[in-house]
Amino acid sequence: MTDRSEIISRMTGLLYPFILLFGFYIILNGHASPGGGFQGGAVLASVFITRYLVEPDRCIRLKTLKTAEKTLFVCIILYPAFFLFSTTANHSELMNLTYLVAMNFLIGLKVCSGFTIIFFRFAFYEGGI
Amino acid sequence: MTENIFLITLVVLAIVALNTKKLRRAVVYLGAFSLVSSFVYLLYGAPDVAIAEAIIGSTITTVLYLVALRKYQVFSIYYANSVGDQTSRYLNDNSTFLNNLEAFLIQREMEPQLIYSGAPIETIVDQEKFDLAIHHTDQDIWIYGCAEDYQLDAVEEYLLTNYGDLNIHLIRCAEGEDNEA
């Protein structure tokens, strides 16, 4: 915003770690409790989006985020394929757990980068001003 | 019982959001609407959906709407004067005109941004991104605007009612190619 508010910037600075912690909690605990990759990723993206309200500068690196999103997308496709076709024997409990947590984590990071890209694309490049 | 109360609150919030005059206030009501609706999802036993609705509905869309409103609000006015020697007289005469125009735009919830330019009007119209370009010559005031801008109609009406005695010509240009960001 044009007139930055000191209160908002201080308070969001205080809140960042907690939002991040909550997002990672939702992602990593998604297989057992409500939540999961998508919701946690959206929480993580809200960190970047509130950062825009505090200091609207262009120092965020969209290109890196785009590469990260593409890599994560390939990982999301490849990992279940390997998981399904690699072992023919019955999957143990621990393997399933790691699979779920890892998939949630990948999806969460991908959703986070996707939301951030959409938002900053919109905020900086669309609409002419 | 609790569900009914919150469902009625939802309907009330939706109606209020539709009927507010200021867009920014409507966005805030919409955020409250999604918060209440996420609580209703929680009451119906869908915590997963409730989390998604609370985050996307009340955080991300609210911020997105606010950014969109802010982008649309900055209204840049280019002002080029080619009166020559009698500038002082016209500038005094004209500053009230510009001030009134700015006050009118502020009243319509916009942020006017006035840019004085010494460049000839043709280059401004060709090259700059403007919402209004005002060219002041000896007798006439030429106002250039973008044809797709719906605010231009209101500006025209305002100018005709208040400054009918001045020679004001309004020209609607097509959206230029370099106006794309």
Side-chain angles (χ1 to χ4, degrees), chain B residues 35-179:
Chain B
L35 208 62
V36 175
S37 80
S38 88
F39 192 67
V40 171
Y41 288 141
L42 197 64
L43 286 179
Y44 278 120
D48 243 334
V49 190
I51 292 176
E53 173 70 30
I55 294 159
I56 293 167
S58 53
T59 312
I60 294 180
T61 25
T62 309
V63 174
L64 214 60
Y65 280 146
L66 287 179
V67 170
L69 276 183
R70 180 166 151 268
K71 280 171 96 69
Y72 199 69
Q73 267 170 0
V74 177
F75 199 87
S76 49
I77 303 169
Y78 273 84
Y79 180 72
N81 201 335
S82 62
V83 177
D85 292 339
Q86 326 107 325
T87 352
S88 53
R89 188 170 67 83
Y90 273 97
L91 212 61
N92 288 336
D93 192 28
N94 221 49
S95 59
T96 54
F97 169 72
L98 286 176
N99 282 340
N100 284 339
L101 191 63
E102 277 186 294
F104 169 72
L105 288 173
I106 287 169
Q107 201 190 340
R108 287 181 63 86
E109 287 190 54
M110 291 195 286
E111 234 173 86
Q113 176 192 26
L114 199 61
I115 301 160
Y116 290 97
S117 167
I121 189 73
E122 289 81 16
T123 51
I124 292 177
V125 171
D126 282 342
Q127 287 165 10
E128 304 286 350
K129 279 182 259 170
F130 64 92
D131 292 300
L132 271 188
I134 299 173
H135 184 215
H136 200 193
T137 56
D138 285 335
Q139 280 116 31
D140 306 317
I141 298 176
W142 299 84
I143 295 177
Y144 297 80
C146 174
E148 288 150 31
D149 192 355
Y150 76 93
Q151 303 284 0
L152 200 61
D153 299 328
V155 170
E156 183 182 21
E157 194 179 321
Y158 168 77
L159 289 176
L160 282 181
T161 48
N162 289 316
Y163 292 94
D165 51 332
L166 293 176
N167 291 320
I168 294 175
H169 305 274
L170 202 79
I171 297 169
R172 283 152 206 264
C173 330
E175 179 98 30
E177 278 166 24
D178 51 339
N179 279 8

Side-chain angles (χ1 to χ4, degrees), chain A residues 65-113:
Chain A
L65 268 179
K66 272 182 200 169
T67 338
E69 199 201 358
K70 282 167 192 164
T71 326
L72 283 166
F73 180 63
V74 173
C75 288
I76 286 170
I77 289 179
L78 285 184
Y79 186 47
F82 278 129
F83 184 77
L84 279 177
F85 295 118
S86 62
T87 50
T88 46
N90 287 338
H91 297 303
S92 67
E93 192 73 21
L94 189 68
M95 268 184 81
N96 285 338
L97 193 68
T98 16
Y99 172 72
L100 282 178
V101 171
M103 276 307 284
N104 265 340
F105 194 67
L106 286 176
I107 290 173
L109 289 185
K110 184 185 177 322
V111 169
C112 169
S113 43

Side-chain angles (χ1 to χ4, degrees), chain A residues 19-30 40 43-44 105 109:
Chain A
I19 301 175
L20 276 175
L21 207 64
F22 183 56
F24 278 115
Y25 165 75
I26 286 181
I27 290 176
L28 294 179
N29 211 23
V43 172
L44 289 186
F105 194 67
L109 289 185

